Amino acid sequence: MRVIVPATEGRAVRVGAGRRVRVTDLEGGQVGDVFALAADDADDADEHLSASHTRAATSRLFPVAGETFVTSRRRPILTLVEDSSPGCHDMLVAACDPERYRALGVPVHASCADNLRASLAVLGLSVPVVPQPVNVFMRIPVAGDGRLSWLSSISRPGDAITFEAEMDCVLVVSACPQDLVGINGHHPTALAIDLETEEMSDR
Amino acid sequence: MRVIVPATEGRAVRVGAGRRVRVTDLEGGQVGDVFALAADDADDADEHLSASHTRAATSRLFPVAGETFVTSRRRPILTLVEDSSPGCHDMLVAACDPERYRALGVPVHASCADNLRASLAVLGLSVPVVPQPVNVFMRIPVAGDGRLSWLSSISRPGDAITFEAEMDCVLVVSACPQDLVGINGHHPTALAIDLETEEMSDR
């Protein structure tokens, strides 16, 4: 099943344990903010994929293929199984939000934080705090002195990253609407979520 | 005013805007997990010092002296004003919690997450989600390939880090009880919080 995430918008999908889900950069150069919530806890939604717990589990700034993202309760939630992109992803910076755009001089602007909230609302869900996302295709290199650079995404059209769900979860993907700094080449575009269905995984 | 944070415990203090607060490693080699909550929002306590928003604001893995930590709403909350330690601090890994110690084979163990909750409860406060802490005196170097190492703290007896509050806030310091991995040299010790009083700041 394919769900298109239109440019500047977000979409939520339910992913069953053991299923694979792929996020594709359709036109290239587009960052996706990925969030995952534990489905058995999604009513109060306080268990979520946690960047800081994942770094503690993997001892890496970002997992490599075969490694697992964990939740705020240190339970495995997604495993990174495949990556056809150049492998630049970020797990250091917060989702963009209305405050970010106000500071950049734009009082009303779509944001990944609002996209998360709106996508979850469609499923009747909410979060008490916006978790730190997994920013796929986002290029934030870290220098030896700890300094971060904000560079344009170098993913190519059709590049994709694939996760396998380690538990029933709700996955949210926001096609980052940032057009004021260069992370999306100043031109936000769409992403696609491809969800393995039961038939696909059983064949 | 000095508040001793006994080994393996936590303490919360209210810090007024413009006041300075110092965290001292009394015996050396001890990690402190520091949390800060916006006091004007501390009833529901969902605005907190956020590592991921701070990295976005400073474009650094950890602020240098003169730089500011911001909240989950991107408001300045603490500025790092002075650091007499060797300068090894961490803002990448989650607070230790009961799940962490269970995974290490110890079903019941003090943790920084529990210390945060207990310290806030004394003030009648709580948090919906444990924020990622600022781990002062914690040595987690990042290699060029993104790999993290967990090394023993190298702060010396009396080394201290000083913050200035940018807003009224609640500061929590946990003397990390981790004794199963070497970050505290397998020997957790006490910290001190020194809070500038009105008289001190007015002199």
Side-chain angles (χ1 to χ4, degrees):
Chain A
M1 182 188 76
R2 169 163 278 203
V3 175
I4 296 293
V5 185
T8 80
E9 298 188 16
R11 291 292 184 273
V13 295
R14 289 187 178 274
V15 187
R19 300 273 179 264
R20 292 191 173 196
V21 59
R22 194 165 63 237
V23 180
T24 301
D25 184 357
L26 296 171
E27 299 184 31
Q30 174 63 43
V31 168
D33 279 35
V34 176
F35 305 86
L37 310 178
D40 56 4
D41 189 55
D43 276 349
D44 57 356
D46 68 344
E47 183 174 4
H48 53 265
L49 188 163
S50 165
S52 61
H53 293 82
T54 297
R55 283 188 291 265
T58 60
S59 293
R60 284 191 170 277
L61 291 184
F62 198 91
V64 292
E67 288 182 342
T68 295
F69 301 84
V70 303
T71 70
S72 44
R73 293 183 192 162
R74 302 189 192 257
R75 298 197 299 162
I77 185 164
L78 294 177
T79 293
L80 172 50
V81 290
E82 219 174 304
D83 184 6
S84 71
S85 81
C88 295
H89 309 289
D90 169 75
M91 211 168 64
L92 292 170
V93 302
C96 62
D97 48 28
E99 292 83 356
R100 170 76 162 138
Y101 290 103
R102 274 201 288 274
L104 291 169
V106 181
V108 178
H109 196 288
S111 70
C112 289
D114 279 352
N115 285 346
L116 168 71
R117 288 185 276 252
S119 305
L120 289 177
V122 171
L123 301 181
L125 302 173
S126 65
V127 280
V129 171
V130 173
Q132 188 192 325
V134 174
N135 299 310
V136 300
F137 312 130
M138 186 167 183
R139 190 155 62 115
I140 305 279
V142 181
D145 65 353
R147 197 178 288 272
L148 314 182
S149 302
W150 300 65
L151 304 181
S152 292
S153 171
I154 53 169
S155 54
R156 300 150 302 196
D159 276 351
I161 186 166
T162 306
F163 306 101
E164 184 166 310
E166 298 292 339
M167 63 166 73
D168 292 348
C169 62
V170 175
L171 191 90
V172 177
V173 178
S174 169
C176 178
Q178 179 58 269
D179 52 1
L180 304 171
V181 303
I183 57 168
N184 300 307
H186 297 282
H187 177 55
T189 54
L191 300 170
I193 308 171
D194 288 290
L195 196 59
E196 187 186 55
T197 61
E198 199 156 344
E199 302 75 49
M200 292 164 72
S201 74
D202 289 350
R203 79 195 159 178
Chain B
M1 184 187 75
R2 168 162 280 201
V3 175
I4 297 293
V5 185
T8 79
E9 298 188 17
R11 291 293 184 270
V13 295
R14 290 187 178 274
V15 187
R19 300 274 179 263
R20 293 190 170 195
V21 60
R22 194 165 62 237
V23 180
T24 301
D25 184 357
L26 296 171
E27 299 184 32
Q30 175 62 43
V31 169
D33 280 34
V34 176
F35 305 86
L37 311 178
D40 57 3
D41 188 56
D43 277 348
D44 56 358
D46 67 345
E47 183 173 5
H48 53 265
L49 188 164
S50 165
S52 62
H53 293 83
T54 297
R55 284 187 291 266
T58 60
S59 293
R60 285 192 168 277
L61 291 184
F62 197 90
V64 293
E67 288 184 341
T68 295
F69 300 84
V70 303
T71 70
S72 44
R73 293 183 192 160
R74 301 190 193 257
R75 296 197 299 162
I77 185 165
L78 294 177
T79 294
L80 172 49
V81 289
E82 220 173 303
D83 184 6
S84 70
S85 81
C88 295
H89 309 289
D90 170 74
M91 213 170 62
L92 291 170
V93 303
C96 63
D97 48 29
E99 292 83 354
R100 170 77 162 139
Y101 291 104
R102 275 201 288 275
L104 291 168
V106 180
V108 179
H109 196 288
S111 70
C112 289
D114 279 352
N115 286 345
L116 169 71
R117 288 184 277 252
S119 305
L120 289 178
V122 171
L123 302 181
L125 302 173
S126 66
V127 279
V129 170
V130 173
Q132 188 192 325
V134 174
N135 299 311
V136 299
F137 313 128
M138 186 168 185
R139 192 155 61 116
I140 305 280
V142 181
D145 65 353
R147 197 178 289 271
L148 314 182
S149 301
W150 300 64
L151 304 182
S152 292
S153 171
I154 53 168
S155 53
R156 300 150 301 195
D159 277 351
I161 185 167
T162 306
F163 306 101
E164 184 166 311
E166 299 291 339
M167 64 166 72
D168 291 349
C169 62
V170 175
L171 191 90
V172 178
V173 178
S174 168
C176 179
Q178 178 59 268
D179 53 359
L180 304 169
V181 302
I183 57 168
N184 300 308
H186 297 282
H187 177 54
T189 54
L191 301 171
I193 308 172
D194 288 290
L195 195 57
E196 186 186 54
T197 62
E198 199 157 344
E199 303 73 51
M200 291 164 73
S201 74
D202 288 350
R203 78 192 158 181

